[in-house]
């Protein structure tokens, strides 16, 4: 058995059955060994597509995503996808070939110091020097990637190591996940006391809730207490669908209701959220009247950006279960003491939420992005997985698509990677072959990884692609309109190819809609068709995302429906 | 603010690079550095300056796989530079 075979053995041992990759010179021993194995290898058409597809696979499945590339440009092309996973704490195992050991450091053909280049975007990385270490390293890498705060782990393998015979072939014991940290009873008691003393408590939850598999516990807590809830982009779906006390996303493009609730609350309970600048706006003015409880599994996140009254480093799942138990006997007290606040938040939601009334659509007019997404949400099957790209359409999905769980909403939160959506949809469809998967993209983002349409064709994936086309880099145009005195610079995309023709060139069905009265038929056709299909939606070019908070400003300075 | 950071870690390839990178990216500048292997662990002492929370820097360092322990001691508070007449 050589090093390459040891990698594949390790995949089998750790139940890794799907990987995303692209072959090349130094990784060829692995591809040579792959031919006789049962691992399903998905050949993407660009290494960035491999990394982002592995990311989408991990998000949709809750399992580790694996991507493979060769040395040099193969490895560097992975970087954006790996950085994307790092920023959103997605577990990835990244395998790259490297030039033979004797050539490392000689500027050999397709040599890059990929370990050095990627230090800032991985939880850990290895440059393997001895093939005998491969089983142990892969086991450790998987444990690291999936435990605690998840993230990508990179294994760089020189070609000679892949080809080396392994002397020690003893099976490696499965690496045990480190025990998750539970909150001390005393801190949980303090948290409960603070909740009971508060008149205006507010839950602020993020992506950590889903990553710690604590969505059920959070929803039970919300059901018990009815404490008003706001969430980050990655926390969308945490509260469940149509939950009365959920005010939706906060922050730069959050609902006015959510931002006002944060402004007014006297206790902010941050759960698996990291006070990101897109969520908080000017952080010194965030939640100005509130005491803050911050619960996170990562000690480095607590107090990083905002001082808090009570910090709790804990598994979210166990903490939420603990305070649920503690609050059960106080439920009536809590309901009474916070009734006025809850009624106020309900009023905020009615007047400043994202709900769209049925008569806001002008059937004869152009298509408005929010109206389209709102209709899509109402017509999509309940178990639909939506992957977004980055820009205006991403925010409209966050605002107007209703998700029952965060696992259904795949969005590049931390890095904001245009081009994420299409490969992520491929990963999601492979992770969940029986569920409808929709990639909602923009005319800018879709072109960033358009080559992955070939991957959809190759594997016959029934992915639905929706391109909301305003012939511009819409979010940049919007900010130039509002904050750069309409000095539009390099945002015109009116020379994009005809998307329906492009789809057909990749063997995909396509349909174009241009007016509001065609939206329903377009969406229904999309879901009625069994295979892959692209829906080209021409939308109003001047439509903006509202509200918007100017970067660096306080969330209370939301701008809505007018120029700044 | 100036602090002395003590850090103990497994002397694996790239470990020092990771520690220096985290220190820089999290907003600190290194003034002095001393490291030696004792009992199979690398013990690193560095004087760093920065305005951000040093405890948080230690938490960030302890997230590195090789790092077993990181702590800090405050030495000197920074003062505005006084111009000579």
């Amino acid at each position: 058995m050589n090093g390459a075979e040891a990698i594949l053995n390790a995949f089998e041992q750790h139940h890794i059955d799907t990987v995303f990759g692209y072959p090349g010179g130094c990784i060829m021993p692995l591809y040579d060994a792959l031919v006789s194995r049962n691992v399903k290898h998905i050949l993407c058409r660009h290494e960035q597509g491999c990394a982002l597809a592995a990311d989408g696979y991990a998000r949709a499945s809750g399992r580790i995503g694996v991507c493979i590339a060769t040395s040099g440009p193969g490895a560097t092309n992975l970087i954006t996808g790996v950085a994307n996973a790092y920023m959103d704490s997605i577990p990835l195992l990244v395998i790259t070939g490297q030039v033979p050991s004797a050539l490392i450091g000689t500027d050999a053909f397709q040599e890059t110091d990929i370990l050095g280049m990627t230090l800032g975007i991985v939880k850990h990385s290895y440059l393997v020097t001895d093939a005998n270490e491969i089983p142990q390293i892969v086991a450790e890498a998987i444990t690291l990637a999936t435990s605690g705060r998840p993230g990508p782990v990179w294994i760089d393998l020189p070609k000679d190591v892949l080809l080396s015979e392994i002397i020690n072939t003893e099976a490696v014991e499965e690496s045990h996940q480190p025990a998750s940290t539970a909150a001390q009873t005393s801190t949980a008691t303090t948290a409960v006391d603070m909740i009971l003393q508060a008149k205006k408590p507010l839950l602020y939850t993020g992506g950590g809730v889903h990553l710690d598999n604590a969505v059920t516990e959070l929803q039970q807590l919300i059901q018990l207490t009815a404490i008003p809830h706001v969430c980050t982009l990655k926390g969308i779906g945490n509260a469940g669908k149509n939950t009365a006390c959920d005010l939706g996303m906060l922050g730069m493009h959050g609902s006015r209701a959510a931002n006002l609730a944060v402004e007014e609350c006297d206790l902010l309970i941050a759960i698996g959220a990291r006070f990101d600048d897109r969520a908080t706006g000017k952080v010194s003015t965030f939640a100005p009247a509130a005491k803050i409880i911050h619960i996170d599994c990562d000690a480095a996140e607590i107090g990083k950006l905002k001082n808090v009254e009570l910090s709790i480093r804990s598994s979210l799942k166990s903490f939420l279960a603990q305070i649920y138990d503690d609050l059960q006997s106080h439920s009536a007290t809590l309901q009474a003491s916070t009734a006025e606040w809850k009624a106020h938040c309900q009023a905020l939601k009615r007047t400043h939420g994202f709900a769209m009334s049925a008569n806001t659509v002008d059937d004869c007019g152009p298509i408005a992005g929010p109206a389209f997404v709102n209709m899509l949400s109402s017509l999509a099957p309940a178990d639909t997985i939506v992957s977004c790209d980055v820009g205006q359409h991403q925010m409209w999905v966050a605002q107007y698509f209703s998700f029952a769980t965060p696992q259904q909403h795949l969005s590049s939160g931390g890095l904001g990677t245009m081009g994420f959506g299409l490969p992520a949809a491929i990963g999601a469809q492979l992770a969940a072959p029986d569920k409808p998967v929709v990639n909602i993209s923009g005319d800018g983002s879709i072109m960033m990884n358009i080559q992955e349409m070939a991957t959809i064709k190759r594997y016959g994936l029934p992915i639905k692609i929706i391109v909301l086309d305003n012939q511009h880099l819409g979010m940049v145009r919007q900010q130039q309109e509002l904050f750069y005195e309409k000095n539009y610079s390099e945002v015109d995309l009116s020379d994009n190819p005809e998307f329906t023709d492009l789809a057909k060139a990749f063997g995909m069905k396509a349909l174009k809609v241009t007016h509001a009265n065609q939206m329903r038929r377009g969406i229904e056709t999309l879901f009625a068709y069994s295979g892959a299909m692209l829906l080209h939606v021409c939308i109003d070019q001047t439509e903006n995302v509202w509200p918007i908070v100017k970067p660096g400003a306080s969330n209370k300075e939301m701008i809505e429906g007018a120029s700044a | 603010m100036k602090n002395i950071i003590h850090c103990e870690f497994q002397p694996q390839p790239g470990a020092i690079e990771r520690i220096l990178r985290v220190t820089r990216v999290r907003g600190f500048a290194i003034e002095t550095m001393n490291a030696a292997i004792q009992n199979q662990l690398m013990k690193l002492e560095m004087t760093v300056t920065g305005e951000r929370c040093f405890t948080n820097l230690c938490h960030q360092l302890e997230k590195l796989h090789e790092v077993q322990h990181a702590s800090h001691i405050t030495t000197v508070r920074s003062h505005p530079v006084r111009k000579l007449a």
Side-chain angles (χ1 to χ4, degrees):
Chain A
M1 179 171 68
N2 66 19
E5 287 161 338
I7 292 276
L8 297 171
N9 280 359
F11 285 176
E12 285 171 12
Q13 189 187 348
H14 296 279
H15 315 293
I16 291 169
D17 55 14
T18 305
V19 300
F20 303 84
Y22 203 102
C26 288
I27 198 70
M28 279 173 67
L30 188 68
Y31 279 84
D32 186 47
L34 188 68
V35 172
S36 58
R37 297 298 186 114
N38 287 327
V39 175
K40 186 173 188 177
H41 179 276
I42 304 300
L43 178 72
C44 297
R45 295 303 173 94
H46 190 292
E47 289 88 349
Q48 187 184 114
C50 301
L52 293 172
D55 179 318
Y57 178 89
R59 289 179 203 239
S61 68
R63 300 168 63 192
I64 192 167
V66 179
C67 57
I68 302 169
T70 193
S71 64
T76 58
N77 278 343
L78 291 174
I79 286 178
T80 298
V82 176
N84 189 74
Y86 181 76
M87 290 294 282
D88 282 353
S89 306
I90 304 301
L92 281 195
L93 180 64
V94 187
I95 306 279
T96 47
Q98 181 54 280
V99 299
S101 304
L103 290 178
I104 292 176
T106 68
D107 307 318
F109 176 66
Q110 292 195 330
E111 181 191 1
T112 55
D113 172 21
I114 201 66
L115 187 139
M117 291 170 82
T118 58
L119 288 173
I121 56 165
V122 295
K123 264 186 96 172
H124 193 56
S125 46
Y126 303 84
L127 173 59
V128 184
T129 55
D130 181 351
N132 288 294
E133 294 177 352
I134 286 175
Q136 188 64 47
I137 285 176
V138 175
E140 188 175 272
I142 291 170
T143 302
L144 274 173
T146 54
S147 59
R149 181 175 180 172
V153 177
W154 197 305
I155 304 178
D156 197 27
L157 292 142
K159 188 174 182 180
D160 57 305
V161 171
L162 286 169
L163 290 168
S164 291
E165 285 300 311
I166 291 183
I167 299 161
N168 179 10
T169 56
E170 283 178 26
V172 174
E173 280 185 25
E174 290 238 11
S175 224
H176 294 291
Q177 296 276 338
S180 54
T181 315
Q184 289 181 346
T185 307
S186 58
T187 52
T189 305
T190 307
V192 168
D193 288 345
M194 288 172 76
I195 292 169
L196 292 173
Q197 285 164 20
K199 295 282 181 275
K200 301 176 182 178
L202 184 68
L203 291 163
Y204 153 47
T205 73
V209 174
H210 165 54
L211 289 170
D212 201 21
N213 195 24
V215 174
T216 303
E217 285 76 7
L218 176 69
Q219 292 184 1
Q220 285 172 344
L221 183 72
I222 289 172
Q223 203 170 11
L224 174 74
T225 63
I227 293 175
H229 172 266
V230 300
C231 62
T232 66
L233 179 71
K234 279 194 69 202
I236 288 171
N238 277 349
K241 210 167 184 172
N242 304 322
T243 303
C245 62
D246 181 24
L247 306 178
M249 186 172 74
L250 82 167
M252 177 179 273
H253 294 294
S255 74
R256 186 172 284 271
N259 285 337
L260 289 174
V262 173
E263 192 72 13
E264 296 171 24
C265 70
D266 65 0
L267 178 68
L268 188 73
I269 309 156
I271 304 172
R274 60 186 177 88
F275 294 84
D276 164 66
D277 58 282
R278 280 293 186 273
T280 64
K282 187 179 178 184
V283 72
S284 60
T285 62
F286 182 69
K291 290 180 178 175
I292 298 175
I293 302 172
H294 190 182
I295 306 108
D296 205 286
C297 71
D298 182 353
E301 286 302 337
I302 296 172
K304 183 179 80 175
L305 289 161
K306 188 82 176 166
N307 289 330
V308 301
E309 272 66 29
L310 179 63
S311 62
I312 301 173
R313 187 192 174 198
S314 169
S315 143
L316 305 184
K317 193 176 180 71
S318 64
F319 173 80
L320 287 167
Q322 198 172 342
I323 62 165
Y324 177 87
D325 288 344
D326 293 349
L327 283 170
Q328 263 190 322
S329 55
H330 300 287
S331 179
T333 314
L334 187 62
Q335 298 289 0
S337 64
T338 57
E340 196 177 326
W341 165 243
K342 288 170 184 168
H344 175 63
C345 287
Q346 287 297 310
L348 283 177
K349 184 176 178 178
R350 279 193 299 276
T351 52
H352 298 303
F354 284 128
M356 187 173 284
S357 59
N359 60 3
T360 51
V361 177
D362 172 9
D363 271 357
C364 301
I367 297 172
F372 179 87
V373 173
N374 191 57
M375 183 176 284
L376 180 69
S377 178
S378 65
L379 296 176
D383 56 350
T384 300
I385 296 172
V386 175
S387 79
C388 294
D389 273 288
V390 170
Q392 288 182 313
H393 70 275
Q394 180 192 27
M395 292 300 110
W396 289 325
V397 169
Q399 293 173 339
Y400 292 101
F401 202 104
S402 183
F403 292 95
T405 73
Q407 203 161 10
Q408 290 178 264
H409 177 229
L410 317 185
S411 201
S412 173
L415 197 65
T417 309
M418 289 176 70
F420 168 78
L422 189 58
I426 291 170
Q429 189 72 82
L430 287 156
D434 299 328
K435 292 184 180 175
V437 174
V438 180
N439 167 217
I440 303 177
S441 190
D443 52 314
S445 288
I446 192 69
M447 294 297 284
M448 288 232 175
N449 272 314
I450 194 78
Q451 78 285 345
E452 298 309 330
M453 281 193 179
T455 311
I456 292 173
K457 181 186 177 189
R458 168 180 281 249
Y459 297 100
L461 303 173
I463 292 169
K464 316 301 179 192
I465 302 169
I466 296 172
V467 181
L468 296 184
D469 179 11
N470 57 11
Q471 302 196 10
H472 284 85
L473 284 172
M475 191 60 93
V476 182
R477 183 203 52 73
Q478 171 172 348
Q479 294 211 16
Q480 288 176 348
E481 176 192 333
L482 298 175
F483 309 131
Y484 292 86
E485 298 172 339
K486 299 184 179 177
N487 186 28
Y488 299 115
S489 177
E490 301 298 330
V491 290
D492 183 292
L493 297 178
S494 57
D495 57 351
N496 261 332
E498 174 53 50
F499 290 113
T500 52
D501 290 345
L502 199 55
K504 286 169 189 168
F506 284 102
M508 196 179 287
K509 297 285 183 198
L511 183 66
K512 185 173 184 174
V513 293
T514 54
H515 290 84
N517 58 8
Q518 299 170 320
M519 291 195 306
R520 176 176 287 273
R521 184 176 62 85
I523 295 167
E524 287 175 346
T525 306
L526 193 71
F527 286 112
Y529 183 63
S530 60
M533 186 170 179
L534 182 142
L535 182 62
H536 181 187
V537 184
C538 299
I539 62 168
D540 183 350
Q541 294 186 19
T542 59
E543 184 80 37
N544 283 337
V545 179
W546 305 116
I548 182 171
V549 176
K550 188 175 182 178
S554 300
N555 280 351
K556 66 181 176 186
E557 298 168 39
M558 288 165 281
I559 302 165
E560 193 145 18
S563 293
Chain B
M1 192 97 77
K2 188 179 286 190
N3 268 228
I4 295 173
I5 304 284
H6 291 278
C7 188
E8 291 182 7
F9 59 97
Q10 298 285 344
Q12 293 172 1
I16 284 189
E17 284 173 84
R18 291 181 213 276
I19 290 166
L20 300 185
R21 192 203 67 80
V22 167
T23 306
R24 172 182 58 80
V25 168
R26 296 296 170 183
F28 299 87
I30 298 167
E31 289 194 342
T32 67
M33 202 173 90
N34 201 346
I37 294 179
Q38 288 176 20
N39 301 326
Q40 298 182 320
L41 272 185
M42 180 77 84
K43 300 199 174 185
L44 169 71
E45 181 182 289
M46 53 185 178
T47 310
V48 303
T49 58
E51 297 307 314
R52 292 187 181 169
C53 172
F54 286 85
T55 303
N56 194 267
L57 173 61
C58 291
H59 286 321
Q60 294 287 0
L61 291 171
E62 285 181 334
K63 283 166 66 174
L64 295 173
H65 180 53
E66 301 96 336
V67 173
Q68 296 197 343
H69 172 72
S71 60
H72 68 100
I73 303 167
T74 304
T75 54
V76 184
R77 290 183 184 280
S78 17
H79 296 287
V81 176
R82 206 179 291 166
K83 284 186 181 174
L84 296 174

